[in-house]
Amino acid sequence: MVIPVEDSTDPRIADYVRLRDVDLRKSLEGGRGLFLAEGEKVIRRAIAAGHRVRSMLMTAKWLDRFADLIDGDGDGDGDGVTVYLVSDEVMEGITGFQVHRGALASMERRELPSVAEVLRGARHVVVLEDLVDHTNVGAIFRCAAALGVDAIVLSPRCADPLYRRSVKVSMGSVFSVPYARLKDWHDGLAELRDHGFRLLALTPAESAVPIEEALTGERTALLLGSEGDGLSSRWLAEADQGVRIPMSREVDSLNVAAAAAIACYLLTAAAR
Amino acid sequence: MVIPVEDSTDPRIADYVRLRDVDLRKSLEGGRGLFLAEGEKVIRRAIAAGHRVRSMLMTAKWLDRFADLIDGDGDGDGDGVTVYLVSDEVMEGITGFQVHRGALASMERRELPSVAEVLRGARHVVVLEDLVDHTNVGAIFRCAAALGVDAIVLSPRCADPLYRRSVKVSMGSVFSVPYARLKDWHDGLAELRDHGFRLLALTPAESAVPIEEALTGERTALLLGSEGDGLSSRWLAEADQGVRIPMSREVDSLNVAAAAAIACYLLTAAAR
């Protein structure tokens, strides 16, 4: 069903308000149990992963591309999705000053699996502690998917993989890589160890072992810390070993997404 | 010298106009031979690399942090830099809707070295063909610096490493990694081969060799293609070998910055 909407404050499109206001979106999306997917590829991946579409928002030029969803053939439940059709001006008012390049879908969140569920059968796991940047979270999911990491575990405060920017940067990998969130930060790593995982803490510290020398275990969890400070001293102490990516110059460093790419490549190399 | 400026259209701060308008900035910066550095760390790295400061733009809270530059002790030539002091409102009007987190400096560009100059003595080189995203260019420079890539060569149309976003994402690595720009796209790679470099083309093609098997030469140039289409057929044909990063699932891929991180790590591993 296609419903024209002419006013950006129309309550029917309230799922999409103030897209560039990160704090507002966090509380809104959590409160309503939704997330936004952007662009055809990502929207279709979200649907394929079983997420239900609450509604879509687009300008007229995109209608044909989503005809199957509007007719109800493409979204799995046989009901057509509701599309709110807006002008370029309204779309731009909603999405901010950069002209938006596609359609948006508001999707229902599902309950996350437990940590035990995502660890079952996994060999190579990445654990993210308190990352704040949604671009980095999305980039790490994309790497994990491409390189065959089995699951991702998030600290309680780690940025949301279903935030619009994460979803977009991940190219929808947040729908294909199983992930769970620890309930407890302080003692949360014990659950990974109980499942037989060896915990490697990625750190730039000179005293750490070069990562390639440490990738010997059957089940390995790679711990990655936040952008500014890296891993907390608590998690560094809890890990079985500190590992580092050898660098050429002491003054330079890798950002967490680049470090994750290299570490995930090495972590899963033997299994690919 | 600190000069208060109250109007964002004041011609004295014309170096800083419309910071978020990429197209306008490209032609303005090229035409005037300048680039912008953002934030104390990056500004100081630019100065340390020998770039002269045209002027700086900041709000009052940053003056103390740059006192040495204003007094003329910190910028190498003994003359104090000219600082245009603006209110938060003027700064926000110039930098766009996200509140800006620091000072800006307008710096003079210098003539780039020739390709031959940056290749001299280099063993591990990265060649970027037509990247369009300044974030990716900056990220690749940061990786190259951290992992010990000796030089970067850009195709004639590759995005500018001195564009503000590239400089920022690179954390100033664009000032420490030597780079040059090819004058000729079609036959430009011949110059690398003339210098004894083996040309490896990074591609997702199944027919390519896993990259670790191909890193055997003394002097190696790794060719990376643009975000959408990858390397051109011309450069793929010109390369000595196509190489790929083994992936776990065919539907997923790595973005160019993540692929570059992994490839640079492998390229320089023996030398670190």
Side-chain angles (χ1 to χ4, degrees):
Chain A
M1 185 166 43
V2 178
I3 302 173
V5 170
E6 288 173 10
D7 180 349
S8 65
T9 64
D10 190 310
R12 291 174 296 182
I13 59 171
D15 280 5
Y16 305 93
V17 295
R18 286 168 62 190
L19 274 194
R20 293 166 69 87
D21 183 336
V22 178
D23 289 334
L24 177 125
R25 293 297 314 179
K26 279 188 197 170
S27 79
L28 180 152
E29 295 183 10
R32 296 189 193 161
L34 65 87
F35 68 94
L36 295 189
E38 188 174 358
E40 182 176 5
K41 187 172 187 175
V42 165
I43 291 169
R44 291 193 183 278
R45 285 190 170 193
I47 292 169
H51 290 281
R52 209 185 71 82
V53 179
R54 291 164 58 96
S55 70
M56 295 180 69
L57 182 75
M58 64 185 74
T59 55
K61 69 174 174 183
W62 294 98
L63 287 174
D64 282 352
R65 294 280 283 276
F66 292 101
D68 61 324
L69 297 181
I70 300 168
D71 294 342
D73 303 326
D75 70 339
D77 65 2
D79 292 338
V81 304
T82 299
V83 171
Y84 296 114
L85 181 66
V86 294
S87 66
D88 287 350
E89 290 68 36
V90 171
M91 188 57 122
E92 214 170 305
I94 288 169
T95 57
F97 287 79
Q98 296 173 318
V99 175
H100 182 68
R101 285 184 203 143
L104 287 165
S106 173
M107 320 280 301
E108 278 182 10
R109 285 178 186 255
R110 295 182 305 182
E111 201 174 338
L112 287 183
S114 68
V115 172
E117 282 174 87
V118 303
L119 294 182
R120 194 174 301 137
R123 283 184 57 198
H124 302 122
V125 172
V126 167
V127 189
L128 304 181
E129 186 188 28
D130 297 3
L131 266 67
V132 296
D133 184 306
H134 291 104
T135 300
N136 284 336
V137 171
I140 292 170
F141 269 81
R142 185 172 173 188
C143 270
L147 297 170
V149 169
D150 298 311
I152 293 178
V153 175
L154 310 175
S155 71
R157 292 192 303 178
C158 185
D160 181 10
L162 293 184
Y163 188 74
R164 183 175 57 102
R165 179 85 192 144
S166 309
V167 172
K168 183 178 177 181
V169 171
S170 85
M171 300 279 282
S173 297
V174 293
F175 309 125
S176 60
V177 179
Y179 73 92
R181 197 178 278 278
L182 292 169
K183 292 204 168 19
D184 177 31
W185 166 75
H186 192 268
D187 297 312
L189 293 178
E191 186 166 2
L192 282 110
R193 193 177 283 110
D194 290 346
H195 281 83
F197 281 87
R198 192 151 166 270
L199 309 180
L200 302 184
L202 194 67
T203 161
E206 277 295 316
S207 59
V209 175
I211 181 170
E212 292 193 65
E213 297 173 19
L215 293 168
T216 53
E218 183 57 29
R219 309 189 87 183
T220 307
L222 183 74
L223 316 184
L224 301 175
S226 68
E227 292 84 359
D229 301 325
L231 287 163
S232 64
S233 54
R234 170 71 188 173
W235 279 31
L236 280 171
E238 280 294 290
D240 295 297
Q241 187 151 46
V243 297
R244 65 180 167 85
I245 295 171
M247 310 263 179
S248 75
R249 300 176 179 91
E250 275 177 53
V251 292
D252 292 304
S253 65
L254 291 164
N255 96 333
V256 67
I262 295 166
C264 288
Y265 174 84
L266 299 172
L267 178 67
T268 58
R272 280 195 311 274
Chain B
M1 185 166 45
V2 177
I3 302 172
V5 170
E6 288 174 10
D7 181 349
S8 64
T9 63
D10 189 310
R12 290 173 296 181
I13 59 172
D15 279 5
Y16 305 93
V17 295
R18 287 170 58 193
L19 273 193
R20 293 166 70 86
D21 184 336
V22 178
D23 289 333
L24 176 122
R25 293 298 312 180
K26 278 186 196 169
S27 78
L28 181 151
E29 295 184 9
R32 295 188 194 162
L34 64 85
F35 68 94
L36 295 188
E38 187 174 358
E40 183 175 4
K41 188 172 186 175
V42 165
I43 291 169
R44 291 191 184 279
R45 284 190 171 195
I47 293 170
H51 290 281
R52 208 184 74 82
V53 179
R54 289 163 60 97
S55 70
M56 296 181 69
L57 181 75
M58 65 186 73
T59 55
K61 69 175 173 182
W62 294 98
L63 287 174
D64 283 352
R65 294 280 283 276
F66 293 100
D68 60 326
L69 296 182
I70 299 167
D71 295 341
D73 302 328
D75 69 340
D77 65 1
D79 291 338
V81 304
T82 299
V83 170
Y84 295 114
L85 180 67
V86 294
S87 66
D88 286 350
E89 290 69 36
V90 171
M91 187 58 120
E92 214 169 304
I94 288 169
T95 58
F97 288 80
Q98 296 174 319
V99 176
H100 182 70
R101 282 184 204 145
L104 287 165
S106 174
M107 320 280 300
E108 277 181 13
R109 286 179 185 254
R110 294 181 306 179
E111 201 175 338
L112 287 184
S114 68
V115 172
E117 282 175 88
V118 302
L119 294 183
R120 192 175 301 139
R123 282 186 56 198
H124 302 121
V125 172
V126 167
V127 189
L128 305 181
E129 186 189 29
D130 296 4
L131 267 69
V132 296
D133 185 304
H134 292 104
T135 301
N136 285 335
V137 171
I140 291 169
F141 268 82
R142 185 172 173 187
C143 269
L147 297 169
V149 169
D150 299 310
I152 293 179
V153 175
L154 310 176
S155 70
R157 293 191 305 178
C158 184
D160 180 11
L162 292 185
Y163 189 75
R164 183 175 56 103
R165 179 83 191 147
S166 309
V167 173
K168 184 178 177 182
V169 170
S170 84
M171 300 281 283
S173 296
V174 292
F175 309 125
S176 60
V177 179
Y179 72 94
R181 196 178 280 275
L182 293 169
K183 293 207 169 11
D184 176 32
W185 167 75
H186 191 268
D187 297 311
L189 293 179
E191 186 166 2
L192 283 110
R193 192 178 284 110
D194 290 346
H195 281 83
F197 280 88
R198 192 149 166 270
L199 308 181
L200 302 183
L202 194 67
T203 162
E206 278 295 317
S207 58
V209 175
I211 181 168
E212 291 193 68
E213 297 173 19
L215 294 167
T216 52
E218 183 57 29
R219 309 188 89 182
T220 306
L222 184 75
L223 316 184
L224 300 174
S226 70
E227 292 84 358
D229 301 324
L231 287 164
S232 64
S233 53
R234 169 73 188 170
W235 279 31
L236 280 170
E238 280 294 291
D240 294 298
Q241 186 151 47
V243 297
R244 66 181 167 84
I245 295 171
M247 309 263 179
S248 75
R249 301 177 179 90
E250 276 177 53
V251 292
D252 291 305
S253 65
L254 292 164
N255 96 334
V256 65
I262 296 167
C264 288
Y265 174 85
L266 298 172
L267 178 68
T268 58
R272 279 195 312 274

